[in-house]
Amino acid sequence: MKIKFDQKNLEGFLSIKDFEGVQPAVDKAHHDLLKKTGKGSDYTGWLDLPEKTTDSTLDEILGLARTVREHSDCLIGIGIGGSYVGIRASLEFLISDQKMPVYYAGHNLSAGYLYHLMEQLKDKRITVVVISKSGTTTEPALAFRIIKNFMEEKYSPAELKKRIITITDAEKGALRSITKKEGYQSFSINNDVGGRFSVLTPVGLVPLALAGIDIKSLIQGARQAAVDYGVMDMGKNPAYQYAAARYLLYQRGKVIEVLSTFYQRLSFVEEWWKQLFGESEGKDGKGIFPTSLSFTTDLHSMGQLLQEGERNMFETFLMAENSGHEVIIPSDDANLDNFNCVAGKDLDFVNKQAYKATAMAHYEGGVPNMTITIPCFDAGTLGELYYFFEKAVAITGYLLEVNPFNQPGVEAYKKKMFALLGRK
Ligand code: PA5
């Protein structure tokens, strides 16, 4: 277990007795999850996914990745929600390991965005990975139509087949039908894993491998996490401590969770976390509202609200022990800004003092907070972090007595939009 979990800034808000009181419910949630007796158990395939992902599957993906990088300058990942955020979160986290640029499409309906993307890439050698679990989602379907058309102007039909890879359901959906008809290279998505839990399936693994990421280490980190965070005893399982604390705080009127990081490379992990937690818990009139901030930037815009606004929130800091790069602050003879006190220090030293000061100030201002600290920015750590959050949200979902694995609410707007578009 490489992640550290600190909850000392819950003191005064939650007591040991509170945690003892919730332990039986956590035990039940643990059993329901493992024995598949809880709500939505058909979609708990993510639990043993790292263990079930074989090295030969990973080797097959890595082989394709080497070929693609030989004939491509860049990749376009087409997808939205669970078929987009995990990929982007991983690549921003692992930016130093990336070997090929990745652009995104199909995560919005913005004409200007797609126009500029095609303008920017018109002279590049492109490979496209189209990802849609259902194979029927509007945004990626339309983006694929447009980008395929753009690619057809650049490449022969035979060349196009080399440059389009699809990831979708093994049998169902329009994207599978298109794949069969055109003979595209394709991977299937496990049907017992929901979109927001799919980052460690081919949904994440294929584009990440193509971009040059060490997917074996990513899976290895998650495999170890499945062991470490599989322990029932809450005292030994930080994912369960985090889950229980969130539930208890919610019971006490803390209905908003702010995930705050001081590291740019974690900003998109926050986006992934928002989808995972928002879609898993927000139903049946219940759910903690997950939001995120990027510090210190947002301390200059949202700091006031956190410090003195309505006391209906708690905060989880996402920190890193090693920032990955040293940037030394120079000394200045004139010292007009009076910052020679930190001359010779790494900028990350100042960042960490900003975190300590913020956690203390928010705690004293009535915002209970916890801190999750990762050791560094490597693929194994990211695999562990993903599994930590997946396990935690499943437990909080069961404590809230909702089905953490469905998302019936996302269909409502789609029905209305299809009616407006005249789509059958
Ligand atoms: O969690 C979910 O299921 C959704 O948010 C999906 O990830 C999102 O709608 C994209 O769906 P699909 O991969 O089917 O295109």
Side-chain angles (χ1 to χ4, degrees), residues 79-85 131-140 167-168 189 194-198 203 275 279 405-407 410-411 413-414:
I80 196 166
S83 299
Y84 158 66
V85 274
I131 311 159
S132 178
K133 184 168 159 43
S134 62
T136 57
T137 308
T138 306
E139 293 89 339
I167 305 173
T168 187
I189 303 178
R196 60 189 172 277
F197 287 85
S198 68
V203 167
Q275 186 197 357
E279 271 190 353
F405 309 116
N406 67 1
Q407 57 286 328
V410 298
E411 295 307 314
Y413 94 91
K414 291 183 192 171

Side-chain angles (χ1 to χ4, degrees), residues 85-394:
V85 274
I87 298 154
R88 187 156 176 186
S90 306
L91 288 175
E92 294 197 3
F93 185 102
L94 297 168
I95 186 142
S96 315
D97 304 353
Q98 196 173 337
K99 294 187 184 132
M100 185 166 69
V102 177
Y103 299 88
Y104 303 95
H107 60 300
N108 59 39
L109 290 169
S110 166
Y113 176 88
L114 210 49
Y115 175 86
H116 286 294
L117 183 71
M118 291 187 291
E119 272 297 297
Q120 191 183 354
L121 301 184
K122 64 176 187 269
D123 299 323
K124 301 277 184 206
R125 298 176 305 154
I126 301 164
T127 287
V128 174
V129 185
V130 197
I131 311 159
S132 178
K133 184 168 159 43
S134 62
T136 57
T137 308
T138 306
E139 293 89 339
L142 293 180
F144 183 41
R145 265 192 187 218
I146 295 163
I147 287 176
K148 190 173 155 236
N149 194 46
F150 159 74
M151 301 267 288
E152 277 164 353
E153 286 167 17
K154 286 167 69 80
Y155 300 114
S156 68
E159 186 67 16
L160 211 58
K161 271 193 202 172
K162 268 174 42 185
R163 295 183 176 276
I164 294 178
I165 300 165
T166 66
I167 305 173
T168 187
D169 186 273
E171 301 295 335
K172 300 189 299 284
L175 188 56
R176 178 55 64 200
S177 308
I178 295 171
T179 300
K180 282 183 185 159
K181 179 173 170 282
E182 302 290 344
Y184 294 142
Q185 306 170 83
S186 186
F187 293 83
S188 304
I189 303 178
N190 319 43
N191 53 19
D192 56 356
V193 180
R196 60 189 172 277
F197 287 85
S198 68
V199 65
L200 300 174
T201 70
V203 167
L205 296 177
V206 174
L208 293 180
L210 264 51
I213 299 305
D214 177 3
I215 55 170
K216 284 194 171 171
S217 294
L218 182 74
I219 289 293
Q220 188 46 43
R223 275 186 199 142
Q224 186 56 45
V227 177
D228 294 340
Y229 303 117
V231 176
M232 189 176 91
D233 181 354
M234 193 163 56
K236 294 186 181 139
N237 190 334
Y240 287 10
Q241 290 162 27
Y242 173 55
R246 298 178 69 251
Y247 171 73
L248 290 166
L249 289 164
Y250 179 67
Q251 298 299 310
R252 284 151 185 74
K254 304 292 185 187
V255 294
I256 298 171
E257 178 175 11
V258 184
L259 188 69
S260 303
T261 189
F262 284 74
Y263 292 89
Q264 197 61 39
R265 293 168 74 166
L266 285 163
S267 288
F268 230 84
V269 170
E270 294 186 317
E271 296 303 313
W272 172 84
W273 171 90
K274 275 194 280 197
Q275 186 197 357
L276 181 69
F277 279 60
E279 271 190 353
S280 299
E281 294 175 353
K283 52 199 70 159
D284 304 341
K286 302 178 205 174
I288 299 166
F289 188 94
T291 187
S292 65
L293 295 173
S294 268
F295 291 159
T296 58
T297 310
D298 289 332
L299 284 174
H300 297 260
S301 57
M302 296 292 282
Q304 172 62 34
L305 175 68
L306 263 102
Q307 194 64 45
E308 296 181 350
E310 195 173 343
R311 302 297 74 184
N312 58 354
M313 62 187 99
F314 64 98
E315 195 169 17
T316 302
F317 291 98
L318 195 48
M319 292 299 293
E321 262 165 46
N322 185 344
S323 75
H325 300 283
E326 197 179 60
V327 177
I328 300 297
I329 301 164
S331 179
D332 186 281
D333 287 346
N335 194 26
L336 293 176
D337 60 10
N338 212 15
F339 271 118
N340 270 353
C341 53
V342 287
K345 298 238 186 258
D346 183 3
L347 188 58
D348 191 52
F349 167 80
V350 182
N351 202 29
K352 287 196 164 68
Q353 307 320 303
Y355 149 69
K356 285 182 194 163
T358 306
M360 208 184 305
H362 289 178
Y363 173 64
E364 287 171 4
V367 178
N369 56 69
M370 303 171 264
T371 299
I372 296 163
T373 306
I374 57 166
C376 59
F377 292 92
D378 66 19
T381 300
L382 183 60
E384 177 178 342
L385 188 62
Y386 282 146
Y387 200 90
F388 172 91
F389 280 133
E390 288 176 353
K391 200 71 193 286
V393 81

